[in-house]
Amino acid sequence: MRASAAFVGRVRELEVLERALSATRAGGGATVLLTGEAGIGKTRLASELVTRARGAGFEVLLGRSLDLVGTELAFQPLAEALRGLGGIGPGGSQRGVFEATLALLSERAGVIPVLLILEDLHWADASTLDIVVYLAHNLDSRRVLLLATLRADEPASAARLQRLADGVRRSGAGQILELGPLERAELAALLDARAGALSAAVTTAILTRSQGNPFFAEELLSAVGERDDAELPRGLRDALLTRVSGLDRRTQSLLRVAAAAGRDVSYPLLVAVTALPERDVRESLRAAVEHGVLVADRRGGRYRFRHALLAEAVYGTVLPGEQEWLHARLADELARGDDAGPAELAPHWALAGRSRDALTASVAAAREAQAVFGLSEARGHLERALALWDVVPDAFELTGLRLDELLEETALLASQTGDAPRAVELTQQAIALVGAGDRRRAAILHERLGTFEFQRGGGDTFLAAFERAVALVPAHPQSRERARALEALARGLTLLWRYDESLAVCEQALELARAVGARDTELRALMTLGSDLAYLGRGDDGLAHLTRAVQLAAGDPDALHRAYVTLTDALTMLGRPRAAAQLAEDGLAALSRYEADHTVLAANWIEALLAIGEWDAADRASAAALRAVTANYPHMPLILRADLELGRGRFDAARVHLDAARATVRHEPGLAYLDAYVAELALWQHRWTDAAEAVHDGLARARPAWGAQIRVWLCAKGLRAQAELTSLARARRDADAVRGERTTASALLADARRAATEAAAITPNAAGWLALAEAEHDRAEGAVRPDRWADAADAWERLERPPLAAYCRLRQAEALVAAGASRTEAGAPLRAAHAIAARLGAGPLLRELELLAARARLDPAPLPAPAPQAANALTDLGLTQREAQVLALVARGLTNREIAAELVISVKTASVHVSHILRKLDAPNRVEAAAIAHRLAPPQAHA
């Protein structure tokens, strides 16, 4: 049984099938008919059940019906399934065959529970269907679960399959399990598993076109690449048209009209456009319904294609010339009625070549969509209007819009729906059209351009656009345009962390906005002011302004999103990540009614969840964010997903996402921020030199005054790398290397202290990072200071950051062991850290804790066997092969007696080896020698 590797959704159905498995294992057999349309996932669900059944000790028997020219091959799927048991024996009569088959299954079930799967019974012969009903009535006291799959929409066998279903129901031990479409989130997860992060446009297109059918989705995925408008794959198109090919020419012609009309079409419209006698229309519709091509909506008096892709396949058979005629007829008929709006008429006019009508209807349709926050639909209508503009000479008179205004409006919608690159392109076209003739208009467009440039990660070019906007509008006379440009410049400076400069400009913008009555600009300036104050050490004042901004922004989705983003960012920075997480969640709920891109607020939510140790929630949120990733701020969900993955030991996935993020980040603060995560990944992979290099790169980017917060964070990570590098240099007895590493560590500590002093007035997080940096520096110096680590852990607990506190508790326990503390004293912080790490699923941290527990004999937690390459790596320290083996066992916490038994040597010999190891590594005791081995050995990745 072959199926897609990814399995998503079907929770309810799996629960039903697993209950049936459990009942069967206990002695109560059952029959389940698994029904659904082609491609809905019957085989994949059956395959998942096979895996679980085998894991539960079942024998699996599998047979599949074949799509033969006829269906007269008696018992074909059952014969295939029972071949391994000797096959179906002669019974002398149909009843005899039935009883012999039951006896064969009963005999096998007496030895081992059996899962019998018969697939594709819509192609099976009548005898097979009869024996399935017979078995359904007789398996209730035997350890046999019969699972049969069939298509519920197969017209040729509909009557026979209905009798099968009725017979199984009457058995009292059978049930029908119907598979419907996957939910959008489930199907998105399937696409993510198959192809990784796709663009939002591609994902949305596949979700919409496949309508929850996983086979259709996978076929579309194979053809679509990074385009959202790819034609149907030929194989899929031919499979879909199989149903249509058996219908007469008149019905096929009617279906082409229905496909051109859209997936849902009224009976009167079909009658009017086809110009056929109503009797012929009715007969054709009945044939289409009976063949499973159309579905009748009796209440609404309309017909729709069974699946959107079926309509798409039929529409693909419409010929050039015929297409224009069909759409013109449809548009004329729709326009005669009162029900059709511009959104329905516009595409028909466009495809009919009636450009003037199409342009007018497209703009009107966009206005209607915007009124109900249908931003994607509105954008689609305006994109059509742009495509039509050049072929309509009197476009301005018809729409009341200049082309630059249409470009600006479409660009804004592109930005709001996650396509910042398109927004930049359209805005640049508008700027070129306006030129220098209208400076105020040009200023507004440059302000738009700067915003869109930042959204797409366009380096520092966004600031130049904002500066140009200010330069275009004179200070006198006072104007709304000048206020708007100043606010944009202040915002741009804030985005580059130049808060002092931003504050001065922002105050000008706020004063001017109030003077000219520009309330929207005043609100935006209030947000920028709040952010500036918060980052300049006036946290309470900043929060007050930002809280007020959230209240004032109600009803304006763009302003509300930015208000929530700025306030949640400030709360996290001010050491209140729990409040930030709750507010971000509330904000996303408040914004859910607006169809707009919320990437940044979602990122703030995930960042806060990771900080407070709600990693399961962060996992769900970040997976959803990746599935919804757009061209706006794509690095944010990628970096945060990588943070979770490296924390849980999925190092390869973390590396992929960090590399993808780097390709989209072009401004220095963002790159310095990214370097910190690159360093973190290298640290957990024990790539100490790579971690040190990443820290060096980040510090070089974060040298300006704005970088103090990032610098102290980077220095702490750099000092962790230096502590490990210094320890390894001591083990190699390389005095020069030890001096060099200690010098680097001292420089990093000095930098950390300076940066923490600068950042202390802004964020309490700086104190936490400095405490960690001081403790890591002690490790680099070889000093044993458990109190330092206790202070650092306490600091992170106060700052609501349990993952960081757990790391510090690990180091506290390690230092207590090295200081000779009792097992009780050293065990307390270790157990506290272990509890947090286990709850988080922090695989690498758990591994470090278990290694410490083993070598210090604090906890008998079982350890996995060392990696085969570990002993080879240890020889790099100057040890012999045997000494490397002994050290690997010391690192696992074994005594000399246990080492002797493991290696089949004497206890005295083991003792001598340990003494040589301690001397060669310059290690004072076994615990330090074990720690050196753990530093050098590569960590194990976690699934």
Side-chain angles (χ1 to χ4, degrees), residues 24 33 43 77 133 148 260 264 290 329 357 477-478 509 545 592 637 643 658 740 757 770 780 839 890 895 898:
T24 301
L33 294 187
T43 296
V133 173
D264 190 293
E290 289 176 350
R329 291 276 295 148
D357 295 323
Q478 292 182 334
H545 284 301
S592 62
D643 188 21
L658 289 175
T757 300
L770 180 60
R839 179 176 64 80
V890 168
T895 64
E898 291 167 333

Side-chain angles (χ1 to χ4, degrees), residues 903-920:
L903 298 179
V904 196
I905 59 177
S906 70
V907 175
K908 183 175 181 180
T909 301
S911 176
V912 170
H913 281 315
V914 171
S915 297
H916 289 168
I917 290 166
L918 296 179
R919 177 176 53 79
K920 288 183 177 182

Side-chain angles (χ1 to χ4, degrees), residues 12 14-24:
R12 182 189 67 82
L14 263 179
E15 288 175 350
V16 170
L17 293 173
E18 288 197 311
R19 284 198 297 270
L21 273 183
S22 298
T24 301

Side-chain angles (χ1 to χ4, degrees), residues 376-413:
S376 293
E377 291 78 7
R379 179 191 169 189
H381 293 309
L382 291 190
E383 290 278 12
R384 185 191 307 111
L386 284 174
L388 294 165
W389 191 272
D390 288 342
V391 297
V392 180
D394 54 345
F396 172 73
E397 289 75 10
L398 287 172
T399 63
L401 286 171
R402 299 191 310 272
L403 179 54
D404 65 280
E405 292 172 328
L406 180 59
L407 287 164
E408 180 190 13
E409 193 171 339
T410 311
L412 181 59
L413 288 168

Side-chain angles (χ1 to χ4, degrees), residues 184 191 198-210 228 376 595 627-628:
R184 285 179 71 87
L191 295 176
L198 294 167
S199 71
V202 169
T203 299
T204 300
I206 293 176
L207 295 181
T208 301
R209 294 171 77 188
S210 64
D228 59 0
S376 293
E595 185 201 353
R627 289 194 294 270

